[in-house]
Amino acid sequence: MITGLHHAQITIPKGSEQAGKEFYCEVLGLPEIDKPEALKGRGGFWLSVGHQEVHVGTEDG
């Protein structure tokens, strides 16, 4: 039985973080949250959705 969820991971194309932030933060109104320092170099960004998080990563293609 699933009793909770910490985060969901989705991907966007590499180099499209600005467009992704405009959609998720400005259009949908989700606040961006800080990623751990060790993960900041990987690209992408994290969002807060209520008590959960959405981790937006990047991939080629």
Side-chain angles (χ1 to χ4, degrees), residues 6-54:
H6 179 268
H7 75 272
Q9 174 78 32
I10 61 174
T11 59
I12 58 175
K14 283 187 177 179
S16 65
E17 285 97 340
Q18 186 58 40
K21 287 180 183 184
E22 288 172 5
F23 175 73
Y24 288 103
C25 299
E26 295 176 25
V27 174
L28 297 182
L30 301 176
E32 184 176 359
I33 56 176
D34 286 332
K35 291 175 64 172
E37 198 63 41
L39 300 177
K40 288 184 178 180
R42 295 183 178 187
F45 53 94
W46 290 6
L47 305 162
S48 177
V49 184
H51 296 291
Q52 285 74 41
E53 299 175 2
V54 173

